[in-house]
Amino acid sequence: MSTEKAQRHNERMKRHKKVVDEKIEQATIEQGVFIVITGNGKGKTTSALGTLLRSLGHGHQCALVQFIKGQWDCGETAFFKNKDTSGVNNLVTYTMDTGFTWNTQDFEKDKQAAEDVWKQALPLLNDPDCKLIVFDEMTYMFKYKYLDIDEVISALKNRPKHQNVIITGRGAPEELIDLADTVSEVRPIKHAFNQGIKAQEGIEW
Ligand code: ATP
Ligand code: MG
């Protein structure tokens, strides 16, 4: 790199650092965040699980609440279930016990199952010792009218100040987006499935 180029790069980095430093200085509020991971691309659940791992690693009490149980046994569920091998003792998990909702086609049964999981999870939203709750695939519960969005919004608003919550799933409703502090949309640019590559253990589940 020429001296002139290096100098220009250096000045640009200095300006960038100044902007970042100012932003860091302005971010002084200490509170939990509500994160929504939505969109049609691959990476929503795995992103939430990554954050869960991060929080668990710090020894925080966490919860994983899964609204749609897959047809396959997920690797992450198997991992967490076996406490002897995972060594994870600071996580509680609740899973809806029906299969994929769009397979069962039994509205009342699925609604009941969704409500049961929600009722189990509700005390966590009142527990200041619970640092992170992941509600995986929860957006569909609103789409199919299994859960009342107003009730969930109200519980989220009244949760302990330092509690973090993540909701994943496609098509997040506006109410969740409005309330969230961080919203990420995963956009599909390519997916192996569309090139005929079979779903595989360890990647898809
Ligand atoms: P992941 O669990 O891999 O992070 P996700 O939570 O973003 O995926 P979901 O909509 O919950 O995605 O779908 C779960 C399954 O569908 C995964 O096996 C994923 O690989 C697959 N999938 C996600 N997006 C696409 C897509 N655009 N086309 C085809 N399959 C997809
Ligand atoms: Mg998912």
Side-chain angles (χ1 to χ4, degrees):
M1 210 190 280
S2 71
T3 330
E4 199 188 319
K5 248 189 174 173
Q7 204 171 352
R8 268 209 312 272
H9 174 77
N10 193 274
E11 275 161 19
R12 213 169 38 234
M13 292 314 282
K14 258 193 215 158
R15 280 199 302 275
H16 180 60
K17 185 177 180 322
K18 189 166 174 277
V19 173
V20 175
D21 284 350
E22 275 169 12
K23 276 194 184 149
I24 291 172
E25 227 167 89
Q26 281 159 18
T28 54
I29 306 167
E30 290 190 24
Q31 65 170 59
V33 287
F34 170 36
I35 303 173
V36 171
I37 319 257
T38 191
N40 296 330
K42 171 175 164 57
K44 298 174 292 295
T45 297
T46 44
S47 159
L49 291 172
T51 308
L52 179 66
L53 195 60
R54 188 173 270 178
S55 198
L56 287 170
H58 286 290
H60 302 159
Q61 281 299 326
C62 300
L64 173 60
V65 184
Q66 294 169 303
F67 280 96
I68 296 178
K69 192 180 159 200
Q71 296 149 305
W72 310 294
D73 263 338
C74 288
E76 57 267 29
T77 315
F79 176 79
F80 289 130
K81 232 190 243 168
N82 192 341
K83 291 188 179 173
D84 290 339
T85 51
S86 72
V88 174
N89 292 308
N90 46 338
L91 178 76
V92 290
T93 54
Y94 298 117
T95 305
M96 211 161 121
D97 59 6
T98 56
F100 274 131
T101 46
W102 39 90
N103 277 350
T104 66
Q105 301 187 354
D106 184 339
F107 178 82
E108 283 310 325
K109 187 169 157 257
D110 287 341
K111 188 175 191 313
Q112 191 57 55
E115 280 173 357
D116 288 349
V117 176
W118 170 243
K119 277 194 193 110
Q120 278 180 302
L122 203 49
L124 298 167
L125 282 159
N126 283 308
D127 179 1
D129 291 333
C130 183
K131 183 70 181 158
L132 170 69
I133 311 174
V134 173
F135 291 104
D136 191 34
E137 319 296 355
M138 194 188 212
T139 56
Y140 308 103
M141 301 304 106
F142 307 119
K143 185 174 172 206
Y144 297 124
K145 309 259 180 280
Y146 294 161
L147 291 181
D148 177 20
I149 183 95
D150 295 332
E151 195 187 324
V152 173
I153 292 280
S154 159
L156 288 171
K157 277 185 180 164
N158 293 312
R159 77 187 193 278
K161 188 172 181 235
H162 294 284
Q163 186 176 74
N164 297 305
V165 172
I166 305 178
I167 292 184
T168 80
R170 299 177 187 205
E174 277 309 312
E175 292 95 324
L176 287 187
I177 291 173
D178 287 347
L179 183 68
D181 303 291
T182 299
V183 181
S184 292
E185 183 176 11
V186 185
R187 189 167 63 89
I189 291 177
K190 270 185 172 188
H191 194 289
F193 184 69
N194 297 326
Q195 291 143 69
I197 302 172
K198 206 173 160 185
Q200 58 177 299
E201 182 185 283
I203 298 295
E204 264 76 34
W205 76 94

